[in-house]
Amino acid sequence: MSLLDTRERRRTPATAPPVAARNGLWQRIRAAKWSYVYLAPMAVLLLAFVIYPIFASFGYTFYRWNGIGSPGEYVGLDNFRQILHDGIFWGAVKHTFLYAFVLVPVQLLLALALALVLNNPKLKFALFFRTVYFIPVVTSAAVVGVVIQLMLANFGDSAGSLLAKTGVTNGHIDWLGDPNTALAVIIAIGIWHTLGYNLVYFLAGLQTIPAELYEAAKLDGCGPVQSFFRITIPMLRQVGVVIVVLAFIGSFQVFDLVQVLTGGGPYFATEVVNTYIYHLAFGGAAGAAAQPDIGLASAASFLYGLLLILFSALQVLALRRISRRRTAANQ
């Protein structure tokens, strides 16, 4: 066999088209047709109730319209100009971001600590405790808001009266009627209400960590604290990123809890963007407009959507940068 023959044989596989190139897009779709069939209903619902309303409402931003009949008064960009110069809108944005940036870190720390405790195989009645912590998640936020409102009411044997009688507080405090305490109460209730989601996510992540890693670390002389920082945290990193993203997305959607507890008051101290948009669209004493204005509400929704897109992009870039740094450090 000559050297030329050897070169020719080596060239033969290189000239053959790869399998992926031979399989076109249509062939790959056809191979996974049942997957697309299962995904189709959710895609249709997403297009009908999420994507289409976003684009449809954009047209209303150029009109002054109370929602009855057809929009007729064209105002151009006046709705955007009015929203951008509205101090209540920026106050609502501030309250929404404050709610998210306080709730998410506190809730994730509590959820991780509880997940570590509940993941202990020696813990008795672990299933009972998991159920107890998850029950608030399946309870309607409106029901939770009504119950908490009655507990903190100014009349009867409420929690405020009990705290005043036992000397914990100096007299009765109107927790939801005081602008200095109302938002803090809502954040605390929000942390408790959705804690179960993140608890389940962390539990699922902890149960994927092989027990052999902890046994090997124990043989090497690592204590519980060292095992936590050197095994648990690194192994939960990818799950933790998803949990952080989902927690921020959920916290930016806060609406029903605020609407039921305070309606955005007192004096707009708890107004978040979603209640602000609701009050613009349907009116209300706590809203910025006495009369409903779908055009203003659509303009506020569009601007808030842009803010969330910008925040999400910054979040993704920051997480990607952190991941690259850690990958480079490990190499």
Side-chain angles (χ1 to χ4, degrees), residues 301-323:
S301 302
F302 184 79
L303 292 175
Y304 184 52
L306 290 181
L307 285 176
L308 291 185
I309 290 173
L310 178 62
F311 175 78
S312 301
L314 293 175
Q315 191 178 16
V316 170
L317 290 175
L319 292 174
R320 186 175 296 177
R321 189 172 182 180
I322 292 172
S323 176

Side-chain angles (χ1 to χ4, degrees), residues 103-127:
L103 180 140
V104 172
V106 175
Q107 192 177 67
L108 293 188
L109 287 175
L110 290 175
L112 179 58
L114 285 172
L116 289 171
V117 174
L118 294 177
N119 195 46
N120 186 355
K122 297 180 182 178
L123 180 69
K124 301 293 184 184
F125 309 110
L127 183 60

Side-chain angles (χ1 to χ4, degrees), residues 6-27:
T6 306
R7 285 178 180 175
E8 288 297 327
R9 288 190 179 188
R10 285 178 183 175
R11 283 175 188 172
T12 302
T15 55
V19 177
R22 284 181 295 177
N23 293 333
L25 178 62
W26 174 245
Q27 283 78 8

Side-chain angles (χ1 to χ4, degrees), residues 118-139:
L118 294 177
N119 195 46
N120 186 355
K122 297 180 182 178
L123 180 69
K124 301 293 184 184
F125 309 110
L127 183 60
F128 169 76
F129 290 115
R130 291 176 189 178
T131 306
V132 167
Y133 285 113
F134 197 74
I135 282 178
V137 173
V138 297
T139 307

Side-chain angles (χ1 to χ4, degrees), residues 65-67 79 82-83 86 88-89 271 273-284 286-301:
W65 182 42
N66 62 2
N79 285 332
Q82 185 174 340
I83 292 296
D86 189 0
I88 299 175
F89 171 73
E271 188 83 291
V273 178
N274 289 328
T275 57
Y276 174 83
I277 294 170
Y278 175 82
H279 293 142
L280 286 178
F282 302 103
Q291 297 296 326
D293 194 328
I294 301 297
L296 274 177
S298 300
S301 302

Side-chain angles (χ1 to χ4, degrees), residues 3 46 54 65 84 106 129 140 155 157 159 207 226 255 296 311 317:
L3 183 60
L46 184 71
I54 291 175
W65 182 42
L84 289 174
V106 175
F129 290 115
S140 168
F155 54 88
D157 295 329
Q207 290 174 2
Q226 290 177 313
F255 169 73
L296 274 177
F311 175 78
L317 290 175

Side-chain angles (χ1 to χ4, degrees), residues 14-327:
T15 55
V19 177
R22 284 181 295 177
N23 293 333
L25 178 62
W26 174 245
Q27 283 78 8
R28 280 181 283 171
I29 293 175
R30 192 174 179 182
K33 59 183 178 182
W34 287 111
S35 300
Y36 291 105
V37 170
Y38 287 123
L39 290 174
M42 184 57 70
V44 171
L45 293 175
L46 184 71
L47 289 172
F49 296 105
V50 178
I51 304 299
Y52 171 73
I54 291 175
F55 288 99
S57 64
F58 181 70
Y60 298 138
T61 60
F62 303 105
Y63 292 90
R64 182 169 290 115
W65 182 42
N66 62 2
I68 300 175
S70 300
E73 186 179 353
Y74 181 79
V75 295
L77 297 176
D78 283 352
N79 285 332
F80 289 104
R81 195 176 297 113
Q82 185 174 340
I83 292 296
L84 289 174
H85 289 85
D86 189 0
I88 299 175
F89 171 73
W90 293 111
V93 172
K94 175 186 171 184
H95 296 152
T96 305
F97 276 77
L98 181 64
Y99 177 89
F101 278 91
V102 174
L103 180 140
V104 172
V106 175
Q107 192 177 67
L108 293 188
L109 287 175
L110 290 175
L112 179 58
L114 285 172
L116 289 171
V117 174
L118 294 177
N119 195 46
N120 186 355
K122 297 180 182 178
L123 180 69
K124 301 293 184 184
F125 309 110
L127 183 60
F128 169 76
F129 290 115
R130 291 176 189 178
T131 306
V132 167
Y133 285 113
F134 197 74
I135 282 178
V137 173
V138 297
T139 307
S140 168
V143 174
V144 170
V146 170
V147 172
I148 297 294
Q149 199 175 35
L150 291 174
M151 290 175 63
L152 300 178
N154 294 325
F155 54 88
D157 295 329
S158 61
S161 302
L162 181 63
L163 293 175
K165 288 178 182 177
T166 54
V168 176
T169 59
N170 187 17
H172 189 279
I173 297 177
D174 189 1
W175 297 97
L176 296 176
D178 189 342
N180 298 317
T181 59
L183 185 60
V185 172
I186 291 174
I187 292 173
I189 298 170
I191 291 172
W192 166 77
H193 183 231
T194 55
L195 179 68
Y197 279 130
N198 297 320
L199 173 62
V200 170
Y201 294 152
F202 277 125
L203 267 175
L206 287 172
Q207 290 174 2
T208 61
I209 301 176
E212 291 81 6
L213 292 179
Y214 292 104
E215 293 173 1
K218 193 173 181 180
L219 291 175
D220 289 340
C222 289
V225 176
Q226 290 177 313
S227 297
F228 174 74
F229 285 103
R230 295 186 179 182
I231 297 177
T232 305
I233 293 296
M235 296 297 288
L236 284 178
R237 188 171 297 155
Q238 293 185 346
V239 178
V241 170
V242 176
I243 294 174
V244 169
V245 173
L246 292 178
F248 271 110
I249 291 174
S251 59
F252 283 132
Q253 295 175 353
V254 59
F255 169 73
D256 38 12
L257 200 58
V258 177
Q259 182 64 23
V260 173
L261 283 171
T262 62
Y267 309 111
F268 307 106
T270 60
E271 188 83 291
V272 292
V273 178
N274 289 328
T275 57
Y276 174 83
I277 294 170
Y278 175 82
H279 293 142
L280 286 178
F282 302 103
Q291 297 296 326
D293 194 328
I294 301 297
L296 274 177
S298 300
S301 302
F302 184 79
L303 292 175
Y304 184 52
L306 290 181
L307 285 176
L308 291 185
I309 290 173
L310 178 62
F311 175 78
S312 301
L314 293 175
Q315 191 178 16
V316 170
L317 290 175
L319 292 174
R320 186 175 296 177
R321 189 172 182 180
I322 292 172
S323 176
R324 285 178 180 174
R325 282 186 177 180
R326 286 178 176 169
T327 304

